[in-house]
Amino acid sequence: MMGSNSGQPQFIASTGNRSFSNAPLIQNADTNQIVVPDRKSWKNFFAYMGPGFLVSIAYIDPGNFETDLQAGAQYKYGLLWIILVASCAALVIQSLAANLGVVTGKHLAEHCRTEYPRGPNFVLWVLAEIAIVACDIPEVIGTAFALNMLFNIPVWIGVLLTGLSTLVLLALQQYGVRKLEFLIAFLVLTIAGCFFAEMNYAKPVASEVLDGLFVPQLKGNGATGLAISLLGAMVMPHNLFLHSALVLSRKIPRSVRGIKEACRFYMIESGFALMVAFLINISVISVSGAVCNSSNLNQEDRDSCEDLDLNKASFLLRNVLGSWSSKLFAVALLASGQSSTITGTYAGQYVMQGFLDLRLTPWIRNMLTRCLAIVPSLIVAIIGGSAGAGKLIIIASMILSFELPFALIPLLKFTSSKTKMGAYVNSIAVSAITWIIGSLIMGINIYYLMTNFIHLLLHNHWELVAVVFLGIFGFSGVAIYLAAIAYLVFRPNKEATHLLALTSENRHMVDDAGNTSMYCLPREDIVSMQLPQRRQTEDI
């Protein structure tokens, strides 16, 4: 353990005084933690691969599939530009989240607990938990739809069974989460390959696809709401907490070059992972748009396109998979939902540990989140059937979009603060771009909220007293929402971060015995959340 006389907070639990400057790339048997050697080599990139791909799973979850299918069926290629904008914004934002963890040694939730007073910190924690539940709802419904297609189980029973599937998944992680993730990724990429192949049969017009990608438009009733759902399904608040924590699972050299290399490689890895997710989302929208807007569509498929959801979407792949289209689509949908469960569990652990300094056993934590997601899903599935459950996915995605500012603004404030990031603070150009992105997201949300609320007040047949009461209540809620955003934006950062980065290439930390060591970041508490062991792991 490094000496505490340096005055810096000790975020590490080291196993000795060895220098990792010339160490090979290894994985510690006790902590499953990857050590990055302090050398300038492109081979280091493989040590950083993992967090970006784990985060990108959330971009191809059942919520994304649902909103993509409806966007293509209702507006053909008109909303493709939302996917492009959201993917570019996601790359910038996720890179900032990774940088925050790499540079400071603490993830976003921990910074929020340090920076904000107890009241605002508690509110931010509640909002983060709501976002995780909203993210879990599409996974619950997607899994229920998959069970319905595979075994003809009613959707409402499938919703109940999702709790058991979560326990099975967490149990399997103890035997090697990497193998499990590779299997899930293979299944999800299989369905992606099927959609790519289906594009050859659907033959979307290239000029129309390009027009949809690069010409912003919101035509038709409900286009704005679906655009917000697409945005919420792509840029999720819990992913910011997740990514800033996942990068702490690597022991990186605490040198100037090591920090810069880690930030650069994490951005490259995130870019590659998000590119794959982007292509999958584009292919789903293009296939849905081309098939559902085809002139020779039979009446049964036309009816399915009128109210398209995950439970009816397998017919889109019939040209490629024939009678197996429903089964394979269901398997991939099941894999997508369960893989997203992994990221939701991790994010929930990091949020609770960061905001409250509290940890739960992973299966308990996941069951609490899953139960909160099951209740509304079960009610809607019983009352509204599969169509109602599909609409609930859209509503959950909209909730994620409205909650995004409460994770995004603290991230932008922290990474733009020199007292927290030191020499690695955002440049003026990056700060401008990120604040523009954040402002556009918040502006779209507020515009949609206000226009729909005013439309509801003006076009109803309620009594005048009810309209007045609803107006006062609604505008008060909007005022509170705006005030909360303004508080986060204009509140100056007060807490400085003791940076773990070295100020020069040849500076080292000195321990109590006088030995020099590279100052690394072995956050075993983060690692033990990711990779639960069959033996009891001591919390740090």
Side-chain angles (χ1 to χ4, degrees), residues 112-278:
C112 289
R113 186 180 80 230
T114 303
E115 177 65 36
Y116 296 111
R118 181 174 298 180
N121 180 72
F122 179 79
V123 172
L124 289 175
W125 170 70
V126 171
L127 292 174
E129 294 289 359
I130 293 174
I132 293 172
V133 172
C135 178
D136 206 40
I137 287 175
E139 296 158 16
V140 169
I141 296 175
T143 301
F145 282 163
L147 294 174
N148 176 259
M149 284 185 275
L150 286 172
F151 309 110
N152 293 321
I153 296 176
V155 174
W156 70 271
I157 295 180
V159 167
L160 291 175
L161 291 177
T162 56
L164 298 178
S165 68
T166 298
L167 293 179
V168 172
L169 186 69
L170 290 173
L172 290 176
Q173 287 184 66
Q174 300 185 39
Y175 297 94
V177 71
R178 293 293 186 187
K179 296 177 183 178
L180 185 64
E181 288 173 0
F182 279 128
L183 174 62
I184 291 171
F186 172 77
L187 293 172
V188 174
L189 290 176
T190 298
I191 197 65
C194 293
F195 272 106
F196 292 149
E198 177 67 14
M199 289 181 70
N200 290 327
Y201 289 89
K203 291 182 171 57
V205 181
S207 59
E208 293 183 6
V209 172
L210 292 175
D211 184 69
L213 269 175
F214 298 105
V215 179
Q217 52 185 308
L218 290 173
K219 297 179 181 178
N221 295 329
T224 304
L226 193 52
I228 290 176
S229 297
L230 283 170
L231 190 64
M234 288 293 290
V235 187
M236 299 185 183
H238 77 283
N239 258 1
L240 305 185
F241 297 104
L242 177 65
H243 205 172
S244 64
L246 287 176
V247 298
L248 299 177
S249 63
R250 270 66 172 166
K251 294 180 182 179
I252 64 173
R254 303 312 297 179
S255 62
V256 172
R257 185 181 68 236
I259 297 293
K260 289 182 178 179
E261 178 186 78
C263 293
R264 181 173 69 253
F265 281 156
Y266 277 132
M267 184 179 69
I268 295 172
E269 185 229 8
S270 297
F272 184 75
L274 291 176
M275 175 61 72
V276 174
F278 168 75

Side-chain angles (χ1 to χ4, degrees), residues 323-468:
S323 60
W324 284 89
S325 62
S326 176
K327 301 302 181 184
L328 187 54
F329 183 83
V331 170
L333 185 60
L334 184 65
S336 175
Q338 294 307 297
S339 60
S340 299
T341 297
I342 296 176
T343 61
T345 302
Y346 292 165
Q349 287 283 73
Y350 301 142
V351 163
M352 183 170 287
Q353 175 262 332
F355 280 106
L356 304 181
D357 196 19
L358 175 66
R359 281 189 59 189
L360 294 177
T361 304
W363 72 268
I364 296 178
R365 162 73 220 190
N366 193 276
M367 285 303 296
L368 287 175
T369 303
R370 183 52 55 100
C371 288
L372 291 174
I374 283 176
V375 172
S377 302
L378 182 63
I379 294 173
V380 172
I382 292 175
I383 297 176
S386 61
K391 289 182 173 61
L392 183 60
I393 293 180
I394 302 296
I395 294 173
S397 298
M398 293 177 65
I399 291 174
L400 289 172
S401 186
F402 282 108
E403 287 214 10
L404 181 59
F406 299 102
L408 179 58
I409 293 176
L411 176 65
L412 299 184
K413 291 289 292 292
F414 297 157
T415 55
S416 298
S417 171
K418 196 171 183 64
T419 60
K420 291 187 179 294
M421 297 289 286
Y424 305 95
V425 66
N426 293 342
S427 65
I428 296 177
V430 171
S431 294
I433 292 172
T434 51
W435 278 106
I436 289 172
I437 291 172
S439 299
L440 288 175
I441 293 174
M442 290 182 284
I444 292 173
N445 289 342
I446 294 170
Y447 169 79
Y448 178 78
L449 185 66
M450 292 301 298
T451 53
N452 279 270
F453 183 66
I454 293 174
H455 183 271
L456 176 65
L457 291 179
L458 295 179
H459 300 84
N460 65 78
H461 304 288
W462 300 333
E463 296 292 335
L464 180 61
V465 176
V467 173
V468 172

Side-chain angles (χ1 to χ4, degrees), residues 75-78 80 198-214 217 282-283 285-295:
Y75 303 103
K76 204 172 182 180
Y77 316 121
L80 284 175
E198 177 67 14
M199 289 181 70
N200 290 327
Y201 289 89
K203 291 182 171 57
V205 181
S207 59
E208 293 183 6
V209 172
L210 292 175
D211 184 69
L213 269 175
F214 298 105
Q217 52 185 308
I282 290 296
S283 67
I285 292 179
S286 298
V287 168
S288 176
V291 172
C292 287
N293 290 278
S294 174
S295 58

